[in-house]
Amino acid sequence: MHLIGEKEKDLFNRFISTSPKPHFLQTYEWGELKRGTGWLPLRLLITRQGTPIAAISLLKRTIPYFKKSILYAPRGPVLGRECDEEGEAFFWQELRRLGRSHGAIFIKVDPDIPVEDREAGERLKKHGLRPVEEKAGFGGVQPRYVFRLDLTPSEDELLAGMAGKTRYNLRLAIRKGVVVRTAEKKEDLAVFYEILQETAERDGFLIRNFGYFERMWDLFVEQGMARLFLAEYRGEVIAGTIAFHCGDKVWYLYGASSSRHRNVMPNNLLQWTMIRWAKSLGCRIYDFRGVPPTDDPGNPLSGLYRFKKGFGGRFTEFIGEYDLVLSTFWYFLWRRVFPLYLRFTHRRKGGEQEME
């Protein structure tokens, strides 16, 4: 077992980015970002004869008054090509040891594995993990349903694969004079955040404070692991997005749009710009992130589903969350009693209980 520190950050990130399932949520930097929100990052790296074969970036949250904790690996673990059945068994054995040493009730994993890969799900169960029932909204802590676009075709082929309305709106934005630029200065972040606040108020969702995004800029944008894109119309910023890059994938994570000039369709041009950026990096996949399971008009997120589907991506469902239970008694309390406790403290403190 090898817990990674700052000195081995590059080794850890290199393994994550070159693995078959790279993900920005498993990078060293994401753990540092979450450190500022009450989580303690722990990174485990398994090596064989000096060569990394498996890794996981965990977020630890201590439960007040109970001297217990939970561990969560967003889109982890990450297994290398050299990780055979023996290596995988050793990995889960060491993960159990790590969890117990930190007083963890359970370790939640949420791997980047499509639901069609039934063998992967069976392997998780074989190593003692329990599937967790689906949650409302996007299906879990991380979105269970996404659209993913294959970037191997040419740009012309990608345009041809879009829905007619999507392609029309993209070209409309260009005709109307919308221009998308990459934010080069940190001062641009304040402009984006102002629009994000407007979007959150209009659409009724919560956002983190500005300091969180400043830290994100320092950890990811400054290091070339993410980009902030801003759409301008007649010299005014009217929309923006943040995309993350790791290995052969790019993810669209944050989007904001002003209520002004929505008719010039800046969001379509922003998506196309991010897709082109992903292609320029040699990426294989562009991930639009969360959507509801269907485009049912009764779902308030159905418009988001149709918007992302319009770019020609493939609907992807992941296998979902699995819990590695380390204490049956405390896990029962976590599932039955702690939700009431959290609801009570939520009301008293007016705060947001979250795991991400």
Side-chain angles (χ1 to χ4, degrees):
M1 182 170 68
H2 190 182
L3 281 178
I4 289 297
E6 176 74 23
K7 292 182 179 178
E8 295 163 299
K9 175 180 71 174
D10 291 342
L11 172 66
F12 187 83
N13 278 349
R14 188 162 53 248
F15 174 74
I16 297 297
S17 64
T18 58
S19 71
K21 301 282 187 181
H23 210 289
F24 74 97
L25 293 176
Q26 281 292 292
T27 60
Y28 191 95
E29 286 76 9
W30 191 259
E32 292 307 298
L33 179 64
K34 290 300 166 186
R35 188 190 293 274
T37 65
W39 294 93
L40 175 67
L42 302 168
R43 296 97 173 177
L44 175 65
L45 184 67
I46 302 295
T47 61
R48 177 187 285 152
Q49 298 178 344
T51 301
I53 62 169
I56 190 168
S57 179
L58 295 156
L59 301 173
K60 175 185 176 182
R61 177 66 62 89
T62 300
I63 302 171
Y65 312 117
F66 293 97
K67 296 182 180 180
K68 290 290 180 179
S69 69
I70 57 173
L71 296 177
Y72 170 52
R75 288 295 184 248
V78 176
L79 305 181
R81 294 174 179 83
E82 298 81 11
C83 188
D84 54 17
E85 188 174 334
E86 180 183 0
E88 192 171 345
F90 182 76
F91 166 78
W92 291 111
Q93 171 189 311
E94 293 302 289
L95 191 59
R96 278 190 178 85
R97 283 181 52 197
L98 176 64
R100 291 194 173 105
S101 71
H102 282 268
I105 298 171
F106 65 94
I107 302 171
K108 180 179 292 294
V109 302
D110 186 11
D112 185 351
I113 298 172
V115 72
E116 294 85 3
D117 191 348
R118 299 185 183 279
E119 183 183 341
E122 290 305 315
R123 287 203 309 273
L124 290 172
K125 293 176 184 176
K126 172 186 172 183
H127 292 293
L129 285 89
R130 307 181 185 183
V132 180
E133 65 268 17
E134 183 178 317
K135 298 178 182 177
F138 291 131
V141 180
Q142 300 302 323
R144 183 161 184 171
Y145 313 100
V146 304
F147 276 104
R148 282 184 158 179
L149 182 64
D150 177 8
L151 296 175
T152 54
S154 68
E155 288 189 9
D156 287 343
E157 289 170 324
L158 289 175
L159 285 167
M162 294 180 186
K165 184 177 180 180
T166 301
R167 191 167 52 247
Y168 174 82
N169 287 339
L170 166 59
R171 289 170 174 163
L172 174 66
I174 297 172
R175 285 200 311 272
K176 292 290 186 179
V178 178
V179 176
V180 174
R181 65 176 175 89
T182 300
E184 304 291 347
K185 299 178 181 179
K186 197 173 183 179
E187 290 77 13
D188 286 321
L189 194 59
V191 179
F192 169 78
Y193 191 75
E194 184 178 346
I195 300 175
L196 183 62
Q197 287 178 303
E198 178 186 345
T199 307
E201 184 175 348
R202 182 185 66 229
D203 296 343
F205 61 86
L206 298 173
I207 58 172
R208 294 191 176 276
N209 61 40
F210 184 59
Y212 181 85
F213 286 87
E214 287 186 300
R215 185 69 173 142
M216 185 185 295
W217 178 283
D218 294 339
L219 288 167
F220 287 93
V221 179
E222 289 283 4
Q223 311 308 318
M225 300 168 69
R227 271 195 182 183
L228 168 60
F229 298 88
L230 298 173
E232 296 181 338
Y233 178 63
R234 296 177 178 174
E236 177 188 359
V237 177
I238 59 172
T241 52
I242 299 178
F244 285 73
H245 169 232
C246 181
D248 63 355
K249 298 181 179 69
V250 161
W251 293 261
Y252 160 53
L253 192 60
Y254 292 101
S257 60
S258 172
S259 297
R260 301 180 300 280
H261 309 299
R262 298 183 75 180
N263 60 315
V264 297
M265 302 299 170
N267 296 324
N268 292 72
L269 186 55
L270 278 164
Q271 289 295 332
W272 178 237
T273 303
M274 291 188 292
I275 289 168
R276 295 185 69 198
W277 175 56
K279 275 190 71 68
S280 74
L281 295 170
C283 289
R284 185 177 55 85
I285 295 292
Y286 178 82
D287 193 316
F288 290 88
R289 291 276 285 176
V291 294
T294 70
D295 61 351
D296 176 6
N299 190 312
L301 298 170
S302 60
L304 185 67
Y305 184 104
R306 291 192 298 271
F307 174 76
K308 293 181 177 182
K309 180 182 180 182
F311 288 89
R314 179 175 179 267
F315 180 81
T316 302
E317 178 182 353
F318 297 109
I319 62 172
E321 300 169 6
Y322 281 73
D323 287 349
L324 181 62
V325 178
L326 303 178
S327 169
T328 304
F329 170 73
W330 282 100
Y331 189 71
F332 171 81
L333 292 181
W334 171 262
R335 304 278 290 175
R336 301 294 177 87
V337 179
F338 284 157
L340 300 175
Y341 163 76
L342 292 175
R343 216 172 293 136
F344 174 69
T345 55
H346 174 80
R347 284 199 301 268
R348 287 184 61 192
K349 297 177 183 178
E352 180 189 6
Q353 299 292 342
E354 45 81 66
M355 177 191 287
E356 63 179 48

